Amino acid sequence: MSVQLLDTATSVLLKDPTASLGDVAKAAGVGRTTLHKRFPTRADLIHALATEALDLVGEAISSVDLDTDDAIEQLVEKLVPLGPRIEFLLRFPNLRDDERLSVRLTTLDQPVIDLISRLQGTRLRADLPAWWITQILYAGVYSAWEGIAAGRLAPLDAPRLVLTTFYLGVSDAGAADRS
Amino acid sequence: MSVQLLDTATSVLLKDPTASLGDVAKAAGVGRTTLHKRFPTRADLIHALATEALDLVGEAISSVDLDTDDAIEQLVEKLVPLGPRIEFLLRFPNLRDDERLSVRLTTLDQPVIDLISRLQGTRLRADLPAWWITQILYAGVYSAWEGIAAGRLAPLDAPRLVLTTFYLGVSDAGAADRS
DNA sequence: ACCGTTGTGAACATGAGTGTTCAGCTGCTC
DNA sequence: GAGCAGCTGAACACTCATGTTCACAACGGT
């Protein structure tokens, strides 16, 4: 129930960031008064959505053993379904106005960046900045979610698609190595 | 002058999509009245920003000879500086509510998708959907712009970074081929 | 049957953004 | 200097989201 509310609230606000609280309440199938009781102000609601998104993404990252060989594979697998939450964190720039949220946002990526940096000694190209590789990884995850949301991509195909593009790129030469 | 107005309006609305027209006017260094004379309503302003963004991206695409060998290279080079406009088109989902804008948005990518499709016969992997490759290309361009905006990436480095990641991926194996 | 909890619609006051008008100021051409 | 065009701040009425309150209905436990 409660999770359902945050879920639809997220999607409504993503479709139209200026949607009124009445719209959110209606979409969630609850009265505006009820919504207000849970989240006294609009800022509270958005803050709650951000916090929940941070929690979910954080859990996803820390649920993966970043020292194992297929860490990135597991990471992508866990992150793709969180598409809307990631989109929320990306598309509400003013979240950084809140001190605590801002800290959590920057802290969130750090273990991933560290992982990438470590892998640059072995499996990953060392001639690219770690932040760039991380960014590209997230971009792939997010693009995959977009494809799923648009109905163009099967959820089960997503991780493979993201990973092969991430590792090998789209040039014809790279494809021969892998199956 | 006029281009300066649309420019700052774009960046202000990107930083805070709910910014008031007064904020936009102040940021652009003009009176709210003057802004209103040019764009009678808020919707008019946003529509104008979208139209200009579509124009610019459209010009960038059509300024490239898509039949030449380095079409993608030229495309990336032209698109990266248009980062804010692309971001605007991506982050204002409600633009699709307007019929004409929606048509232009979907039409815009078509030549690029066609180009990718053609190249899948030769230089590009044929085991990936054309729309996916296109998406990844745009994601790279956008990520590069983000890096530039954050001051982490030198504008002149951007195209090379995007292209090498796009073609070869980030796996260590792929890097040996190129310089 | 009683009562606390929870959700609900209706209603209200408030504040902010918006659209609009107007009179005054600047800078330009003739 | 006369006239004109463009820009400006100030002020106004209006709309609408918002925050808040209240009384009522539904439900579950005792």
Side-chain angles (χ1 to χ4, degrees):
Chain A
M1 290 225 154
S2 177
V3 63
Q4 156 72 2
L5 205 171
L6 295 175
D7 211 61
T8 59
T10 299
S11 70
V12 168
L13 286 180
L14 277 180
K15 205 169 67 183
D16 178 12
T18 71
S20 77
L21 297 185
D23 295 335
V24 175
K26 201 191 313 174
V30 302
R32 193 167 74 94
T33 314
T34 308
L35 183 66
H36 173 265
K37 202 176 294 181
R38 255 196 245 266
F39 311 103
T41 136
R42 169 179 257 264
D44 289 335
L45 173 60
I46 293 187
H47 188 277
L49 294 180
T51 302
E52 197 225 11
L54 283 166
D55 287 344
L56 289 175
V57 175
E59 286 172 20
I61 292 179
S62 58
S63 80
V64 171
D65 180 6
L66 295 180
D67 289 326
T68 191
D69 255 3
D70 59 344
I72 291 188
E73 283 76 359
Q74 287 184 43
L75 208 52
V76 170
E77 197 109 22
K78 300 256 188 185
L79 285 181
V80 169
L82 295 181
R85 314 305 176 128
I86 296 176
E87 185 177 359
F88 184 86
L89 293 177
L90 294 179
R91 288 211 181 159
F92 278 68
N94 356 22
L95 293 184
R96 291 210 112 89
D97 293 351
D98 183 295
E99 184 67 30
R100 300 238 298 276
L101 289 183
S102 180
V103 170
R104 289 196 62 185
L105 274 167
T106 51
T107 309
L108 193 62
D109 300 341
Q110 204 49 53
V112 179
I113 297 182
D114 291 343
L115 167 65
I116 300 272
S117 293
R118 249 177 290 135
L119 291 179
Q120 283 191 285
T122 58
R123 289 164 55 196
L124 296 182
R125 293 171 60 173
D127 62 331
L128 303 173
W131 67 263
W132 171 257
I133 298 181
T134 308
Q135 205 69 17
I136 288 299
L137 180 63
Y138 278 131
V141 169
Y142 178 61
S143 297
W145 168 253
E146 268 189 319
I148 292 174
R152 281 181 302 208
L153 181 57
L156 293 181
D157 286 342
R160 184 188 51 80
L161 203 56
V162 171
L163 288 168
T164 186
T165 311
F166 177 67
Y167 282 128
L168 304 177
V170 301
S171 159
D172 192 31
D177 301 338
R178 290 241 175 167
S179 75
Chain B
M1 291 222 158
S2 177
V3 62
Q4 156 72 2
L5 203 172
L6 295 176
D7 212 62
T8 60
T10 298
S11 70
V12 169
L13 287 180
L14 277 180
K15 204 169 66 184
D16 178 12
T18 71
S20 76
L21 296 185
D23 295 336
V24 174
K26 202 192 311 173
V30 302
R32 194 168 74 94
T33 315
T34 307
L35 183 65
H36 173 265
K37 200 176 298 181
R38 255 196 245 265
F39 310 103
T41 137
R42 169 180 257 265
D44 288 335
L45 172 61
I46 294 188
H47 187 278
L49 294 180
T51 302
E52 198 225 11
L54 283 166
D55 287 345
L56 289 175
V57 176
E59 284 173 22
I61 292 179
S62 58
S63 80
V64 172
D65 180 6
L66 295 179
D67 290 325
T68 191
D69 256 2
D70 60 344
I72 291 187
E73 283 76 359
Q74 287 184 43
L75 209 50
V76 170
E77 196 110 21
K78 298 257 188 183
L79 285 181
V80 168
L82 294 181
R85 313 306 175 127
I86 296 176
E87 185 176 359
F88 183 86
L89 294 177
L90 294 179
R91 288 209 181 162
F92 278 69
N94 356 23
L95 292 184
R96 290 211 112 88
D97 294 349
D98 183 294
E99 184 68 29
R100 301 238 300 276
L101 288 183
S102 179
V103 170
R104 288 196 63 184
L105 275 167
T106 51
T107 308
L108 193 62
D109 300 340
Q110 203 49 53
V112 179
I113 297 182
D114 292 343
L115 167 65
I116 301 273
S117 294
R118 250 177 288 138
L119 290 180
Q120 282 189 285
T122 57
R123 290 165 53 195
L124 297 182
R125 291 171 63 173
D127 63 331
L128 303 173
W131 67 263
W132 172 256
I133 299 182
T134 308
Q135 206 68 17
I136 288 299
L137 180 62
Y138 278 131
V141 169
Y142 178 61
S143 297
W145 168 252
E146 268 188 318
I148 293 174
R152 281 181 303 209
L153 181 56
L156 293 180
D157 286 343
R160 184 186 52 81
L161 203 55
V162 172
L163 289 168
T164 187
T165 311
F166 176 67
Y167 283 127
L168 304 177
V170 301
S171 159
D172 192 31
D177 302 337
R178 291 239 176 169
S179 75

